[in-house]
Amino acid sequence: MHITYDETLKLFRLTAGDMLYAMGITDGAYLAHIYFGKNLPDADLTELLRLDEPPFTPSVNNRDKACYMDTLPFECPCFGLGDYREHAVEILDGAGMSTCDFRYVSHRIIPGKPGLPGLPATFGTEQQAMTLCILCRDEHADLELELRYSVFEQMHTIVRSAIVRNTGRADCRLKRLLSATLTLDGDGYDMLTLNGSWARERHVERCRLHMGKQRIDSMRGESSHQHNPFFALAEQGADEDRGVCYGLNLIYSGNFMAQAEVDQHHTTRAQIGINPTDFTWLLPPGEAFAAPEAVLVWSEEGLGGMSRTFHDLYRQHLIRSKYRALPRPVLINNWEATYFDFNEEKLLSIAREAAKLGIEMLVMDDGWFGHRDKDNSSLGDWYVYEKKLPGGLKSLVDKVRAMGLKFGIWFEPEMVSPDSDLYRAHPDWAIQVPGRELTLCREQYVLDYSRQDVREYVYGMLRDILTSADISYVKWDMNRQLTEVGSRMLPADRQRELWHRYVLGVYEMMERLVTEFPDLLLENCSGGGARFDPGMLYYSPQIWASDDTDAMERLKIQYGTSLCYPVSAMGAHVSDCPNHTVGRTTPFQTRGHVAMAGTFGYELDITKISPEDRGQIPGQIADYKRYSHIMRNGDQYRIGDPFGTAGYDAWIFVAKDKGEALFTYVQTLSRPNVRSRRIRLKGLNPESWYRCSENGKTYSGAYLMQAGLRMPNLWGDFQSRQIYLNKMEERA
């Protein structure tokens, strides 16, 4: 990694491995993007800005400066100066004017990676990272803009953020501050996005760019089931293994926008940041606003190379939990086993059977608090429902611990039920527009986490529960979006800040939780996967990927999620059949193989499943423990495509030293009268020899990747195979 500045050329070079990111300061002190891609030995890259052709620079052709502004590849384009493409920063000054003009003033290069106040952010030591801080200034508005660029050792990544400071004497309103803008030459790209809805999150869509703007976003107060704050721009024809790809991801859990715009000259402007819709932030003199970080990844090894860079970055420089590199306990969650219909004896019966089979943790899901027998009451009343647990929480936990199991518990601390003691005492604590009817969703409202008194009260209840018994795990849920976004506490001129202040309040609560309880395993959940984003990974090393636990549906969900996020972050469970979401029946073995491409656990009534299925559990757990280090720390290569028509999906995890690998094959549909398939593996050392657990034979890595393993047509739909490959010291 290296960051340099050439004073003569006014050229910044940021390198990591064989990646180069270059910027230049042009006539007028404008900061412009030059290049992002494979490292170049050339010292002078400034001619790539095309400043020697029409419309020329203002010093040569000031009569057409507006044309110059509308073509320059700005690093942080401002509103109102003649650049009519999507802008990244917009203000409203005391005179009601929205034009802003930030120009380069100075820069500094610092070792390491600074954080952001109140926001999740990547981290790195002085040996692991370097950061370029560029100071820009709008003299007329008396504002400063600091642009930060960080590079990490051997990572083909640029992490960007922006901070606006009011250095004047008058209030200013910030209307927009996107986290990153990237200009690419040409428009020969496909845009890949992760879209869906509840129970079918992060399905992959790939569309060719066209003139104009192509955008995904969220205005739900969460990153959302519908769109993930990630997109990729891939060269047309780029696939898993070949071609140039750029990935953009926002480290944020609230409203976002992500967009690619093709302009009149067929250049592409890619941007990501906080959604500017309904956003305003008051900046009094002396105050600052920090945009969340954006991650920009470059790959010349297709989508797979892009994904592996994201995975490594997040495992090494975003996830802080001690569990990021540790085996996760194999848990059983009672939700799909009992829903709200449980008591202490039912939970203990599940725990007894689980302990016999090697499961390590019992998680008590929704329904243990207040007087909650269904989902229409008690959110906000975080005290034990003694009708179900007459001995109290500690009594239950002690009994479970005596069986050799750890204990976990479910919360939904951002919500309040109309039928709750908390809401009856404090109806003003819900997010609301005074005088307007509140919109119910799942018969609950959202607490106003912009208020410190609300956060203090709720956190006090959480602390009381977590200190009352030996609890090892918390599942933090959020089951609805925001509506009627207003606060009884904020003044009128700060009401539009509530969207962002709410997210900051959630972050503060999670920060307090993991700081006070550092040994706690925190799993984020949001109605399933509505907050599967890097912001949550900063606090919780794993996120419940979806409420849909059907193995075939999970192939699509986990495939799409893996484009950006490591499998060590994907909560995945073996559930009962017929599946509770889609009614499909799949073999127990297949359910296990699919769930192992995640954190792995169970979500079923273990006391009621068939002896045949129950008998497979010890073997599944043993396999997961035997191979989880490869999945948790190794490289993932996608081989099949669950969205395609081939009738199978497949993937392989390869250890970093290429000494061992785990290959999984899932036949989604059986076929009549066909021969076997040859599945070409990926990521192995072609010169090494590997023993195959399937048949005991030894193959060269070259054979496995070029000729492939032969997979027979399996009897029945939804069948699977899992094969372990370990490198031999010499050919057997």
Side-chain angles (χ1 to χ4, degrees), residues 414 431 446-447 449 478 498-506:
E414 299 165 61
I431 287 177
V446 184
L447 288 169
Y449 264 31
M478 182 216 189
L498 181 55
W499 293 104
H500 184 59
R501 288 186 179 276
Y502 175 81
V503 178
L504 294 179
V506 173

Side-chain angles (χ1 to χ4, degrees), residues 501-695:
R501 288 186 179 276
Y502 175 81
V503 178
L504 294 179
V506 173
Y507 289 156
E508 181 191 292
M509 288 280 283
M510 290 188 174
E511 182 67 32
R512 292 181 67 181
L513 184 67
V514 299
T515 300
E516 186 170 354
F517 301 94
D519 295 327
L520 188 73
L521 174 56
L522 177 63
E523 177 167 313
N524 180 256
C525 178
S526 187
R531 280 201 308 216
F532 206 114
D533 59 64
M536 286 292 114
L537 288 181
Y538 185 71
Y539 305 98
S540 57
Q542 60 192 55
I543 303 172
W544 184 230
S546 176
D547 279 346
D548 191 340
T549 55
D550 174 71
M552 296 301 104
E553 290 299 310
R554 273 300 185 110
L555 291 178
K556 298 178 180 178
I557 293 167
Q558 293 173 195
Y559 178 100
T561 306
S562 74
L563 277 175
C564 188
Y565 307 101
V567 297
S568 61
M570 299 183 206
H573 294 168
V574 176
S575 63
D576 206 358
C577 282
N579 179 264
H580 292 193
T581 302
V582 298
R584 183 181 289 120
T585 296
T586 56
F588 200 82
Q589 173 181 277
T590 301
R591 284 177 262 163
H593 287 163
V594 174
M596 283 185 203
T599 58
F600 195 66
Y602 294 88
E603 190 154 335
L604 41 72
D605 190 340
I606 201 171
T607 67
K608 294 181 178 179
I609 61 175
S610 70
E612 294 77 14
D613 289 351
R614 191 182 300 116
Q616 293 186 51
I617 290 177
Q620 288 181 342
I621 294 174
D623 285 345
Y624 178 69
K625 289 185 168 297
R626 186 179 301 121
Y627 306 131
S628 68
H629 67 283
I630 312 175
M631 297 179 281
R632 193 171 61 249
N633 302 313
D635 291 323
Q636 180 182 10
Y637 295 83
R638 294 177 292 267
I639 299 173
D641 181 2
F643 298 96
T645 59
Y648 75 93
D649 191 13
W651 57 88
I652 187 170
F653 296 100
V654 182
K656 287 291 186 181
D657 65 0
K658 301 189 182 297
E660 54 184 338
L662 185 69
F663 167 67
T664 304
Y665 173 87
V666 180
Q667 177 178 280
T668 53
L669 292 175
S670 186
R671 305 171 297 165
N673 192 27
V674 294
R675 302 185 72 184
S676 59
R677 295 183 171 102
R678 284 186 4 198
I679 307 298
R680 293 173 177 85
L681 307 189
K682 300 179 182 181
L684 304 173
N685 184 343
E687 299 178 357
S688 296
W689 293 85
Y690 295 88
R691 184 182 297 279
C692 173
S693 66
E694 176 93 338
N695 54 25

Side-chain angles (χ1 to χ4, degrees), residues 43-44 62 71 156 166 174 308 314 342 376 407 414 661 716 729:
D44 189 356
N62 198 44
T71 57
H156 294 161
N166 186 346
L174 187 64
R308 289 185 288 277
Y314 290 164
F342 67 86
N376 64 350
F407 188 87
E414 299 165 61
E729 292 302 322

Side-chain angles (χ1 to χ4, degrees), residues 128-346:
Q128 295 171 328
M130 291 183 71
T131 300
L132 168 66
C133 302
I134 299 178
L135 181 64
C136 301
R137 183 165 179 81
D138 183 331
E139 292 291 351
H140 180 83
D142 228 347
L143 296 172
E144 289 182 350
L145 171 66
E146 182 182 351
L147 302 177
R148 292 183 179 177
Y149 301 78
S150 295
V151 291
F152 295 87
E153 183 69 31
Q154 297 302 317
M155 299 276 184
H156 294 161
T157 301
I158 297 292
V159 176
R160 292 188 54 177
S161 59
I163 302 172
V164 170
R165 299 184 183 90
N166 186 346
T167 57
R169 298 182 178 181
D171 288 352
C172 177
R173 294 184 183 278
L174 187 64
K175 299 287 290 182
R176 172 191 300 228
L177 184 62
L178 301 184
S179 298
T181 297
L182 174 66
T183 302
L184 302 176
D185 188 54
D187 61 353
Y189 299 95
D190 294 336
M191 184 174 181
L192 280 78
T193 53
L194 303 178
N195 312 314
S197 187
W198 176 83
R200 49 181 173 84
E201 296 89 348
R202 292 175 301 286
H203 284 204
V204 180
E205 184 171 355
R206 181 169 182 164
C207 299
R208 183 171 180 174
L209 288 186
H210 56 77
M211 294 288 287
K213 301 171 184 178
Q214 293 106 94
R215 169 173 167 160
I216 58 169
D217 66 10
S218 172
M219 275 301 299
R220 298 169 183 267
E222 59 187 6
S223 46
S224 85
H225 300 279
Q226 288 68 25
H227 302 291
N228 194 263
F230 158 85
F231 74 105
L233 296 177
E235 281 183 333
Q236 290 165 16
D239 58 19
E240 276 292 321
D241 309 301
R242 290 166 294 277
V244 171
C245 300
Y246 300 91
L248 291 85
N249 197 201
L250 188 66
I251 305 179
Y252 190 62
S253 308
N255 296 344
F256 77 93
M257 66 88 76
Q259 180 173 282
E261 178 182 8
V262 177
D263 67 18
Q264 71 269 32
H265 298 293
H266 296 277
T267 59
T268 301
R269 174 174 282 183
Q271 295 175 299
I272 197 165
I274 291 177
N275 197 326
T277 301
D278 201 37
F279 169 84
T280 303
W281 194 272
L282 180 65
L283 268 184
E287 293 195 7
F289 179 88
E293 285 188 349
V295 179
L296 282 62
V297 167
W298 166 78
S299 167
E300 61 176 349
E301 298 178 348
L303 295 167
M306 175 198 71
S307 297
R308 289 185 288 277
T309 298
F310 273 119
H311 299 172
D312 286 343
L313 179 75
Y314 290 164
R315 289 183 298 200
Q316 298 174 32
H317 298 290
L318 180 66
I319 299 172
R320 299 176 297 164
S321 168
K322 72 174 190 178
Y323 290 98
R324 66 178 173 173
L326 294 178
R328 314 288 165 82
V330 177
L331 62 84
I332 185 166
N333 185 299
N334 75 298
W335 178 241
E336 289 192 19
T338 66
Y339 295 102
F340 294 103
D341 186 18
F342 67 86
N343 55 28
E344 181 181 277
E345 182 48 43
K346 179 59 182 175

Side-chain angles (χ1 to χ4, degrees), residues 83-151:
D83 182 354
Y84 297 102
R85 298 159 292 180
E86 194 81 22
H87 51 288
V89 58
E90 180 183 354
I91 65 168
L92 193 65
D93 65 22
M97 302 302 173
S98 56
T99 297
C100 57
D101 185 4
F102 287 102
R103 306 198 194 191
Y104 170 85
V105 175
S106 63
H107 71 273
R108 56 194 176 101
I109 299 170
I110 59 176
K113 169 62 178 59
L116 288 174
L119 286 166
T122 53
F123 52 83
T125 65
E126 294 183 1
Q127 292 73 40
Q128 295 171 328
M130 291 183 71
T131 300
L132 168 66
C133 302
I134 299 178
L135 181 64
C136 301
R137 183 165 179 81
D138 183 331
E139 292 291 351
H140 180 83
D142 228 347
L143 296 172
E144 289 182 350
L145 171 66
E146 182 182 351
L147 302 177
R148 292 183 179 177
Y149 301 78
S150 295
V151 291

